[in-house]
Amino acid sequence: MSRSAPTWTSGERGLVRLVAELAPSVHNTLPWRIVCADGARTLSLLARGDRALPQHDPHGRDRLISCGAALTNVRLALCALGWVPEIDLLPMPVTPGEVARVVVVERGEPIDEDVVRYLAVSYRRSHRAPFLETPVDDATVRRLAAHGVDGVEIRRLGGRYDAAVLAKLLSHSAAVLRLDTVYQRELNAWTANDEHPVAGAGVAVLPRRDAALPWAGLVRRSTAIPDRVILTDRLARECLLLVETPDDGPLDHLRAGMAVEEMWLTAVGAGLACAVLTQPLQVPEVRAGLVEELSLNGFPQVLCRLGYPIA
């Protein structure tokens, strides 16, 4: 079968961009742009420098993780349209800002797992509340970890020791970020005056003053930091997954974002809720502490909380 294909239809362009916008992104900034080529079914995903967060994300790690998540949604949309996409990360020749190039190869039926993930795209939300006490079983966790992205490991954290390490490090990062005036100013600039902001409008309005880690997610000046023993107990009762990569370059960040979105959508399809934490990992001593105290072989990119939501 020929690898050439006619140009995109307006419906295909619109669907791909819409589904990409439903991907999670740092501070809900949507730090990417999709350019569909004329004359062929090829598209480029470009990182947007104008959506950079120099205080939260000085190295652009979270921005590329966000782009990776959007890329997963693009892949699922193309599969749902009946196309077989080929993805080239950090393609050559280099185009400024281009982090991925997607080429439609041929027609094909999506696999069942991709159909489930695609249907979950519009239902995915960040969960900023407690979970039910119902545990997430090991078989489900194995399904979530089977993301199919090369070089990314998703490992379950568990036991009192892991929870105590996380409680110590999360408490430290919260204390640091809560007092960082410049960081708080940037966070406020990307806070929408709405509990449910539209895509690209920033994060939700300030949470309740009694919201506390790990439920609150973002750390603000009003975020209450719980006692470390209480926080350890909370974390020990939750399903916590750590996304880890062998290196810490742009390719690793893109792949981590792709894997996180694959996992998250699989979780939604299984009736689970999820929230991702990257903010604490931007504090260097917290990231280094995770590597040392959890004996990681690579670099932690994302911490995920999963569980069954309270109706």
Side-chain angles (χ1 to χ4, degrees):
M1 180 178 291
S2 172
R3 295 171 64 87
S4 62
T7 190
W8 300 102
T9 67
S10 59
E12 288 172 331
R13 292 172 188 260
L15 179 65
V16 167
R17 291 192 172 108
L18 174 62
V19 172
E21 286 185 0
L22 295 176
S25 63
V26 55
H27 286 12
N28 187 26
T29 57
L30 303 191
W32 60 76
R33 185 164 59 94
I34 293 176
V35 177
C36 296
D38 293 327
R41 281 194 170 93
T42 301
L43 64 84
S44 295
L45 191 145
L46 294 87
R48 293 184 57 173
D50 61 324
R51 296 294 177 94
L53 298 167
Q55 300 304 317
H56 168 83
D57 188 29
H59 306 293
R61 184 169 68 237
D62 282 1
R63 180 172 46 164
L64 287 179
I65 290 173
S66 302
C67 288
L71 187 58
T72 284
N73 281 16
V74 168
R75 182 188 74 78
L76 292 171
L78 292 175
C79 289
L81 288 168
W83 294 107
V84 177
E86 280 189 353
I87 298 175
D88 186 12
L89 300 178
L90 304 179
M92 298 292 290
V94 175
T95 299
E98 187 177 28
V99 298
R101 192 173 301 155
V102 183
V103 180
V104 162
V105 179
E106 58 188 7
R107 284 289 185 182
E109 291 293 325
I111 61 175
D112 292 344
E113 290 83 356
D114 281 346
V115 172
V116 171
R117 293 184 184 110
Y118 176 73
L119 293 175
V121 165
S122 59
Y123 296 99
R124 184 208 58 78
R125 298 287 186 277
S126 293
H127 186 79
R128 303 298 187 192
F131 297 110
L132 291 173
E133 293 291 332
T134 306
V136 181
D137 61 84
D138 290 338
T140 299
V141 172
R142 286 194 294 271
R143 282 180 52 208
L144 299 178
H147 47 77
V149 180
D150 291 341
V152 181
E153 178 185 357
I154 296 180
R155 57 180 284 182
R156 184 173 192 169
L157 304 181
R160 190 75 185 180
Y161 175 78
D162 287 358
V165 169
L166 284 175
K168 178 181 70 174
L169 295 175
L170 288 176
S171 296
H172 174 75
S173 69
V176 170
L177 295 172
R178 194 169 61 173
L179 296 177
D180 189 330
T181 301
V182 181
Y183 173 88
Q184 292 296 330
R185 187 180 301 129
E186 181 181 77
L187 178 56
N188 289 337
W190 277 101
T191 297
N193 189 26
D194 194 328
E195 293 184 3
H196 305 286
V198 299
V203 295
V205 69
L206 211 66
R208 303 189 319 272
R209 291 188 63 83
D210 61 343
L213 287 173
W215 298 343
L218 296 173
V219 174
R220 303 178 183 273
R221 290 200 183 280
S222 60
T223 299
I225 304 175
D227 175 84
R228 192 178 297 178
V229 174
I230 294 175
L231 182 53
T232 299
D233 289 339
R234 289 181 182 177
L235 292 168
R237 293 195 300 267
E238 294 193 351
C239 178
L240 300 167
L241 303 182
L242 187 65
V243 179
E244 181 182 349
T245 57
D247 293 301
D248 199 29
L251 186 60
D252 300 279
H253 304 154
L254 282 169
R255 286 175 171 168
M258 295 171 68
V260 166
E261 181 70 342
E262 296 274 359
M263 179 276 297
W264 199 338
L265 295 174
T266 303
V268 172
L272 294 165
C274 177
V276 299
L277 301 175
T278 60
Q279 186 183 42
L281 303 184
Q282 295 291 349
V283 179
E285 59 269 27
V286 169
R287 202 165 183 232
L290 284 173
V291 173
E292 179 179 356
E293 299 195 43
L294 297 182
S295 300
L296 303 182
N297 295 320
F299 295 84
Q301 304 294 351
V302 180
L303 177 65
C304 306
R305 301 172 50 236
L306 293 110
Y308 294 97
I310 297 174

